[in-house]
Amino acid sequence: MASNNFLQNYEKGEVRTACFFLAPLLLIVGIFILLPVLGTFYNSFFLDVSFLPKQFIGLKNYARLLSSPDFWQALRFTLAYTVAAVSLEAVFGVAFALLLNEVFVGRTVLRVVILIPWAIPTIVSARTWQLIYEYTYGLMNFLVMNLGIAPERINWMGTEFGAFWALVFADVWKTTPFVVLILLAGLQAIPEDLYQQAKVDGAGLFRRFYKITLPMLKPVLVIAMIFRTIDSLRMFDLVYVLTGGGPGGSTRTLSYLGFEAFANDSFGLGSTVSVITFLISLAITLIYLRAGKFSEQLK
Amino acid sequence: MTFMVGGAPNELAFFEKILASYTVDTGVPVTLIRQSTDSAQRKQGILLSLRGQQTNPDVMLVDVGWIGQIAASGWLEPLEKYDIDKNVFFQSVIELADTYENKLIGLPLYIDGGLLYYRKDLLAENGFSAPPSTWAELRDMSERIVPRQKAQNPNFWGYVWQGAQYEGLTCNSLEFFTSAGGGFFVGTATPVIDQQANVTALQFMRDLLHKQPISPPNTFTDMKEEEVRLFFHNSNALFERNWPYAWGLHNADDSPIKGQVGMAPLPGFKKGQSASTLGGWHIVMSKYSDMKSESASLIKYLTSARVQKQLSLKLGWNPGRSDIYDDAELLKANPALQNLKQVFKNAVPRPVIPYYSSVSQILQKHINATLADRVPAEQALKQAQIEVLELIKDYGIK
């Protein structure tokens, strides 16, 4: 085992000291993360509503959820949302990172400015977007009416299609800076002489991008995408503010479904939604790690 | 002793003062636990304390929408033994909302009900002497007046009401459905959501948005209480459905429509078949309270005629006590009370059942889908009925 070899590099006393220093952290993680997670798993096997005695019902919550059209609707919506948002963020992220990696006047200012959306709490930016998409006085409809894009105002949240892209748009605006930040660090780690050498060998701009930048950037890009994917899979705040799950329940994400269950005091079912969301995130992370050949990279 | 209550800053300041005067009178100090104004958040805070069997809060306010769930969980102290006079409150409210399994579990601190607000001036200009008493009349008046107004103000609409996917939609639907002779439940375990009267009513609601159209297109996405109130307030609508709180704001000195607003019971599908959803907050005592006799005395204090009058005078809330609606001082401050007393007497509560919030969520989702023109009325209500029946089966309720 790698970890055993790793420990053999240290003396016993050193290991003991390390454990001593790590203990508080592990304790905190154990109490505040591990215990609640295990509790959620445990709860998912119970009918747990306040007005009935708590009872063990095995996998019935899972059966109920998997047979409910609401669940499949939410799963489909969450996955579509994740694919759309994360891929757009990856494309824009790479583009902006490349731009900000170049030397030009005002670069420092731009690097700071581009981080602003990321620094605003989502719930706040969601409220801003709510005003932008607002039917009567919102900026979007102001543009639509004044630029003559459509004869009537558009009710952006009125269709599943409109609400979906409105949410994706708000998410891309907010989290692309995060991807940019990570990628920029990755870009700066690529040695300049690789490019010099490629230039000498006669490689053009695009060839250098595909042969050097992209492969060297891949591990960082995969990390950024893992973060973004896990985040998107449990997206809640934008939906909560912008659509409230509507129209007709068509924009509910998995997290929103879990919230609805909790809001109804249905803790067993809510926990089941959380467990399933966790399992999906885990599966997708594993796929990413496999695709990014991470185990090799780490060696 | 602790009292848990939420609300706007002026409301909380009012409670601080009342509690301080209670302490002066009785020598019992009371701590106020502040909550937000949001009903759903207040519910979660209260559920957490009660679930955890905390001795605090002793006394709290609960919404009529979830009092059934809290009562069914066995968390509320029955109040009969504390020598409380039930007869001074609205009889129907005590029976329908504050009684659970034949036990008195709460008292109405204040009451709300859905109302129709209308533009007196615009109706008069167009030759209408009275507000609409049927939905057909409301439609006809809108079709006559709105096009003329639209010529000056393209944002002008006929009727604004709460159609977004949230609890307010359930309240509005209950009014439409009941005013067509329908409703959600018969008794406590028999849903009758897909009955024909409800389908007719929902079809009418949908047509308000998509056929005539009389209500703004964003009714089913944006319209909650405040959005609706502001819409009407800014002189953009002929009719408005809202709770009594809007009255004072529409008639405030800085209101663009001051003095031009009338208040009436909501229309019905037939004359006289009007319905108003009962709202408001109820004062209850926790079963886990360790100061029960003191808590009872606080409840009596807060529902005393003196404090109830102050609630009306200082906050504009409508008292849960029916015996003070004819009080000269109150009527002078708020002449609308006369009408409100009648409305509240006939108000319909949402089903007082423990799993009400789940039922409401199912209704909101399907009714909103019809308003969004995604699913026909009949199909939406059929599906809602099926899901509610499944829920009842899951919970093993007979």
Side-chain angles (χ1 to χ4, degrees):
Chain A
M1 286 286 287
S3 59
N4 284 340
N5 295 338
F6 166 74
L7 282 180
Q8 275 163 19
N9 293 341
Y10 298 91
E11 279 181 28
K12 247 197 177 144
E14 282 180 318
V15 173
R16 211 175 301 135
T17 317
C19 287
F20 177 74
F21 282 126
L22 282 175
L25 181 73
L26 291 177
L27 201 69
I28 288 173
V29 170
I31 291 174
F32 291 105
I33 297 180
L34 197 60
L35 274 185
V37 167
L38 293 177
T40 305
F41 272 88
Y42 176 80
N43 262 340
S44 69
F45 302 116
F46 286 84
L47 175 65
D48 185 8
V49 290
S50 61
F51 53 89
L52 293 173
K54 187 168 173 170
Q55 49 181 303
F56 180 78
I57 52 166
L59 291 173
K60 239 174 140 179
N61 278 331
Y62 290 86
R64 182 171 162 203
L65 204 62
L66 294 179
S67 68
S68 122
D70 284 350
F71 170 75
W72 293 104
Q73 178 278 129
L75 180 65
R76 192 173 53 82
F77 186 83
T78 311
L79 291 178
Y81 173 84
T82 304
V83 170
V86 174
S87 43
L88 283 173
E89 280 153 21
V91 171
F92 284 120
V94 171
F96 279 113
L98 288 173
L99 180 71
L100 291 179
N101 200 34
E102 295 303 314
V103 181
F104 57 90
V105 180
R107 182 177 74 162
T108 318
V109 176
L110 201 59
R111 278 187 180 177
V112 174
V113 167
I114 208 167
L115 279 178
I116 290 177
W118 176 246
I120 300 172
T122 311
I123 206 86
V124 176
S125 62
R127 285 275 177 221
T128 315
W129 282 102
Q130 191 180 31
L131 293 175
I132 294 172
Y133 293 129
E134 205 274 332
Y135 182 77
T136 313
Y137 306 106
L139 174 71
M140 286 292 189
N141 276 341
F142 175 82
L143 293 177
V144 163
M145 296 303 281
N146 283 287
L147 300 179
I149 297 169
E152 286 283 335
R153 289 190 173 80
I154 298 170
N155 189 7
W156 299 97
M157 301 300 162
T159 58
E160 187 184 344
F161 179 82
F164 175 83
W165 286 107
L167 289 167
V168 168
F169 201 66
D171 193 62
V172 169
W173 176 81
K174 168 159 175 74
T175 48
T176 300
F178 170 76
V179 180
V180 172
L181 195 68
I182 293 188
L183 293 184
L184 201 54
L187 281 177
Q188 287 170 354
I190 303 176
E192 191 54 33
D193 38 336
L194 278 181
Y195 290 105
Q196 303 297 349
Q197 210 153 7
K199 260 188 203 162
V200 171
D201 292 342
L205 186 68
F206 285 99
R207 211 175 153 74
R208 290 203 300 273
F209 176 72
Y210 280 111
K211 290 289 177 189
I212 303 174
T213 313
L214 216 49
M216 297 288 284
L217 207 54
K218 197 172 126 192
V220 193
L221 186 61
V222 170
I223 289 184
M225 286 175 73
I226 289 178
F227 278 133
R228 285 304 313 133
T229 304
I230 294 175
D231 235 19
S232 301
L233 285 173
R234 51 190 187 79
M235 203 273 281
F236 170 79
D237 28 22
L238 282 174
V239 172
Y240 180 74
V241 173
L242 283 177
T243 70
S250 61
T251 59
R252 285 174 299 175
T253 55
L254 287 173
S255 292
Y256 198 84
L257 214 58
F259 162 75
E260 283 191 345
F262 286 126
N264 289 341
D265 193 38
S266 197
F267 286 88
L269 195 66
S271 302
T272 310
V273 177
S274 300
V275 168
I276 291 182
T277 312
F278 166 74
L279 293 177
I280 292 171
S281 306
L282 187 69
I284 292 182
T285 310
L286 289 177
I287 294 172
Y288 265 123
L289 290 179
R290 182 60 60 85
K293 298 209 174 66
F294 249 81
S295 40
E296 289 165 35
Q297 304 261 356
L298 287 175
K299 282 175 200 164
Chain B
M1 184 165 41
T2 53
F3 176 49
M4 196 163 186
V5 66
N10 66 323
E11 295 167 355
L12 293 175
F14 173 81
F15 276 113
E16 291 270 16
K17 249 167 77 186
I18 294 283
L19 293 180
S21 71
Y22 171 79
T23 305
V24 170
D25 288 0
T26 61
V28 183
V30 187
T31 312
L32 185 78
I33 304 180
R34 290 157 178 267
Q35 295 188 288
S36 78
T37 52
D38 181 272
S39 173
Q41 284 176 13
R42 287 169 73 169
K43 176 185 173 188
Q44 275 160 33
I46 286 173
L47 282 181
L48 279 179
S49 324
L50 291 174
R51 238 178 192 271
Q53 312 194 350
Q54 301 291 311
T55 53
N56 288 330
D58 301 274
V59 180
M60 63 211 105
L61 290 191
V62 299
D63 190 334
V64 63
W66 29 275
I67 195 169
Q69 181 189 347
I70 293 192
S73 307
W75 287 331
L76 298 182
E77 175 77 4
L79 298 176
E80 268 104 355
K81 59 180 158 204
Y82 297 102
D83 186 29
I84 281 162
D85 182 10
K86 293 199 280 192
N87 298 320
V88 297
F89 299 94
F90 283 94
Q91 208 54 42
S92 57
V93 177
I94 291 280
E95 278 167 22
L96 295 167
D98 290 304
T99 307
Y100 194 82
E101 292 179 338
N102 296 319
K103 281 186 242 150
L104 181 70
I105 40 101
L107 291 172
L109 188 76
Y110 70 98
I111 296 191
D112 261 348
L115 297 166
L116 182 77
Y117 294 92
Y118 61 95
R119 287 288 296 275
K120 279 193 297 200
D121 55 333
L122 295 179
L123 287 192
E125 269 169 36
N126 289 277
F128 298 107
S129 57
S133 59
T134 64
W135 292 114
E137 274 175 33
L138 178 137
R139 185 186 57 208
D140 294 344
M141 290 179 183
S142 300
E143 282 178 340
R144 174 101 153 265
I145 299 172
V146 173
R148 295 183 192 175
Q149 289 298 313
K150 259 199 176 15
Q152 305 153 30
N153 173 8
N155 291 332
F156 195 88
W157 290 88
Y159 182 42
V160 282
W161 46 286
Q162 292 83 28
Q165 190 179 332
Y166 82 117
E167 182 62 27
L169 176 57
T170 313
C171 296
N172 278 244
S173 305
L174 182 60
E175 285 158 356
F176 277 110
F177 289 10
T178 311
S179 74
F184 299 153
F185 268 66
V186 173
T188 53
T190 318
V192 285
I193 294 161
D194 57 351
Q195 60 178 307
Q196 188 51 45
N198 293 351
V199 176
T200 311
L202 181 54
Q203 187 62 40
F204 179 81
M205 292 160 72
R206 179 224 163 256
D207 289 349
L208 284 175
L209 275 73
H210 298 284
K211 195 168 155 209
Q212 278 95 22
I214 285 172
S215 299
N218 59 337
T219 298
F220 68 97
T221 49
D222 301 344
M223 289 300 184
K224 300 186 178 184
E225 279 87 1
E226 273 299 90
E227 283 79 4
V228 164
R229 182 184 70 77
L230 288 168
F231 204 94
F232 186 78
H233 195 84
N234 293 328
S235 201
N236 287 329
L238 181 60
F239 299 110
E240 172 198 18
R241 184 272 175 205
N242 218 327
W243 305 98
Y245 85 98
W247 178 255
L249 295 164
H250 288 327
N251 284 303
D253 283 335
D254 58 351
S255 162
I257 51 171
K258 188 185 176 199
Q260 293 163 349
V261 185
M263 184 201 272
L266 286 162
F269 282 87
K270 279 190 232 138
K271 251 195 175 73
Q273 212 176 38
S274 163
S276 168
T277 296
L278 178 68
W281 288 76
H282 297 253
I283 189 161
V284 299
M285 191 198 307
S286 162
K287 197 181 88 180
Y288 307 109
S289 161
D290 52 357
M291 298 183 79
K292 285 189 177 149
S293 60
E294 291 87 346
S295 299
S297 101
L298 178 64
I299 289 175
K300 280 190 222 167
Y301 184 79
L302 290 174
T303 54
S304 67
R306 190 164 65 91
V307 175
Q308 288 269 295
K309 267 176 76 172
Q310 277 182 293
L311 273 177
S312 172
L313 292 170
K314 299 269 165 59
L315 296 179
W317 286 1
N318 303 297
R321 282 177 82 113
S322 53
D323 64 337
I324 55 172
Y325 275 70
D326 305 314
D327 184 278
E329 193 188 350
L330 290 193
L331 279 174
K332 198 173 155 237
N334 182 6
L337 278 176
Q338 196 101 56
N339 290 331
L340 289 173
K341 189 179 181 184
Q342 281 313 310
V343 171
F344 295 153
K345 266 191 180 158
N346 301 317
V348 277
R350 288 157 273 173
V352 181
I353 46 174
Y355 51 97
Y356 168 73
S357 54
S358 304
V359 170
S360 176
Q361 214 164 65
I362 292 170
L363 287 167
Q364 287 164 33
K365 177 180 67 185
H366 291 293
I367 291 172
N368 190 259
T370 297
L371 297 184
D373 216 14
R374 292 165 59 88
V375 183
E378 197 177 348
Q379 197 187 325
L381 293 179
K382 269 221 163 77
Q383 191 57 35
Q385 172 83 5
I386 290 170
E387 286 180 28
V388 170
L389 286 172
E390 269 171 15
L391 191 73
I392 292 174
K393 210 178 88 198
D394 275 352
Y395 288 155
I397 291 158
K398 274 153 209 120

